[in-house]
């Protein structure tokens, strides 16, 4: 049908290196967030940022105008991508909300669900060998994916969330898509068995309103290219591309 | 006197690039430790590992047989240094205690004072927007510096500890030397005013049994070279060099 023909035409243009996403504004969030406990201690999430940086790179390769909002990582921003660095979930939220309206949001960041209720001004001191501080009380961080996904005139037309799960990956990811209000979920099996966290390969499920795609195990760069093509296909399927 | 003459002679050999610390076994600990909360979350300390890696490099440059026991960092091990990687305080303790007897220990690692009482097998799930887990109970980690410093036939003859402080730097560092039982403390002002954490420069006080030296502000590489020279001077001052 016509849709398939349009997608086929664009895929051919991608193969010829054309900027098929030129003019499309896409924000990608990436990396962990660090939530300070005191000046030297913090809560963190395991996230190298590699998958998000690779996606920003792949989308920029297709000509998109990419802004990468990143927590602390050891990575360099891909060429042609605008990098905004932040540390905490609240800083990431502020950075994302300050952007001009975006066509697409790809939220790969491992935003900490919780942060310490308060941050100590001075380093907490261990008084003697067995001295232990009071249990660390936590409070919920802003839910950046849910905020971006909320109905609004400026909502990106396509919001892609990520889910890192250690069990019941598909069920959790399907439920997360509904709960967050995003359009797609890229679900990532990070169980010890899959052994991908911080590594170079990813085992991916793509959850869309149409169903669940199981992708073969591939490198994070391949996942990024495939997701960028899926986003291009989605633009082809919408009337206003 | 004779001591100054010996030191002068060795400093001249250093200037000529001689391996003045050849045959000396030195362990350097570096980096932060990460203490798992669940498969994707952990407690961490701000430490780039740069100061420790620079010290390992400077000591290897003087010919020492250097083992670098390092928590997670983004750094590559200096040439000629044996790297042992670890993640938690308990892993670092085991790695250090497993080494053959060392002549010197330089403990720069920012070992977490505390870890979560227990590590969850599965990722903790946020059930709804405001769901918050129970406060995180903590337990004391092994005190690696105190263990290395404890009297024993295998105790390194010189144990150097580090202190990162945000206030009362000298008083805390002097007290720490006594409390830990180490020989020297290299104290580091990490207050926001000094602004050195994760950066390239360090503001150092060296606490020894002889007193306190305030070092001028210098790069971490300069601190490393100066400390390596101080260690060589110390060997010169002992009868069995």
């Amino acid at each position: 049908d016509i849709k398939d023909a349009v997608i086929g035409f664009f895929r051919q243009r991608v193969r010829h290196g054309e900027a098929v996403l030129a003019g499309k504004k896409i924000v990608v969030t990436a990396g962990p967030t660090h939530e300070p406990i005191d000046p030297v201690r913090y809560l963190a999430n395991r996230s190298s940022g590699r998958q998000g940086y690779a996606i920003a790179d792949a989308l920029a390769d297709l000509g998109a105008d990419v802004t990468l909002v990143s927590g602390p990582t050891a990575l360099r921003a891909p060429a042609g991508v605008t990098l905004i660095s932040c540390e905490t979930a609240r800083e990431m939220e502020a950075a994302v909300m300050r952007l001009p309206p975006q066509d697409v949001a790809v939220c790969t960041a491992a935003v900490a669900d919780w942060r310490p209720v308060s941050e100590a001004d001075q380093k907490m001191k261990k008084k003697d060998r067995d001295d232990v501080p009071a249990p660390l009380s936590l409070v919920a961080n802003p839910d950046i994916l849910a905020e971006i996904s909320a109905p609004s005139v400026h909502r990106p037309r396509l919001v892609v969330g990520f889910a890192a799960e250690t069990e019941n990956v598909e069920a959790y990811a399907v439920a997360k898509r509904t709960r967050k209000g995003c359009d797609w979920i890229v679900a990532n099996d990070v169980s010890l068995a899959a052994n991908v966290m911080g590594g170079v390969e990813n085992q991916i499920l793509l959850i869309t309103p149409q169903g669940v795609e199981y992708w073969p195990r591939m490198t994070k760069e391949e996942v990024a290219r495939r997701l960028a093509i899926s986003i291009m296909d989605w633009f082809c399927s919408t009337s206003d591309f």
Side-chain angles (χ1 to χ4, degrees), chain A:
Chain A
D1 63 353
I2 286 183
K3 190 179 123 179
D4 288 341
V6 171
I7 290 175
F9 172 71
F10 271 86
R11 287 193 170 187
Q12 201 151 8
R13 288 181 56 192
V14 169
R15 273 194 293 276
H16 287 86
E18 287 186 50
V20 291
L21 292 181
K24 303 299 177 196
K25 285 187 163 55
I26 305 186
V27 58
V28 178
T29 70
T33 67
H34 289 178
E35 308 294 333
I37 299 170
D38 69 16
V40 299
R41 298 181 176 89
Y42 58 94
L43 284 172
N45 309 303
R46 286 184 211 283
S47 167
S48 65
R50 278 191 209 165
Q51 185 61 79
Y53 279 59
I55 290 167
D57 196 18
L59 290 166
D61 273 353
L62 297 188
D65 174 8
V66 179
T67 304
L68 176 60
V69 179
S70 176
T73 75
L75 305 174
R76 231 188 303 191
V81 164
T82 303
L83 175 69
I84 301 178
S85 295
C86 54
E87 185 182 351
T88 67
R90 284 178 296 176
E91 287 168 10
M92 186 174 282
E93 176 194 35
V96 168
M97 295 305 162
R98 214 181 288 126
L99 295 176
Q102 303 285 307
D103 295 297
V104 178
V106 182
C107 299
T108 77
V111 180
D113 286 320
W114 304 290
R115 67 175 182 276
V117 168
S118 61
E119 177 184 349
D121 288 342
Q122 301 294 341
K123 183 182 172 189
M124 296 186 303
K125 307 296 295 179
K126 193 163 104 172
K127 287 172 198 76
D128 58 54
R129 204 181 181 94
D130 300 310
D131 181 40
V132 166
L136 194 62
S137 292
L138 303 173
V139 63
N141 261 330
D143 188 331
I144 300 173
L145 175 58
E147 286 179 51
I148 294 176
S149 301
S152 115
V153 282
H154 295 313
R155 184 191 188 279
R157 284 178 293 159
L158 181 68
V159 179
V160 183
F162 270 63
E165 304 294 348
T166 55
E167 53 180 351
N168 304 329
V169 179
E170 182 177 333
Y172 276 140
V174 167
K176 183 171 185 174
R177 197 187 78 83
T178 307
R179 195 172 67 249
K180 301 288 187 181
C182 60
D183 304 296
W184 297 357
I185 288 279
V186 178
N188 199 345
D189 187 342
V190 295
S191 63
L192 293 177
N195 196 24
V196 294
M197 211 79 185
V200 294
E201 288 203 330
N202 253 352
Q203 181 76 56
I204 294 294
L205 286 66
L206 179 65
I207 319 286
T208 71
Q210 284 73 48
V212 179
E213 290 177 19
Y214 277 82
W215 291 5
R217 189 162 178 144
M218 50 180 86
T219 67
K220 292 184 175 179
E221 286 67 32
E222 288 165 336
V223 169
R225 277 192 293 270
R226 185 157 172 167
L227 183 66
I229 296 288
S230 298
I231 289 172
M232 187 207 69
D233 289 354
W234 175 86
F235 271 116
C236 293
S237 311
T238 63
S239 52
D240 55 347
F241 190 44

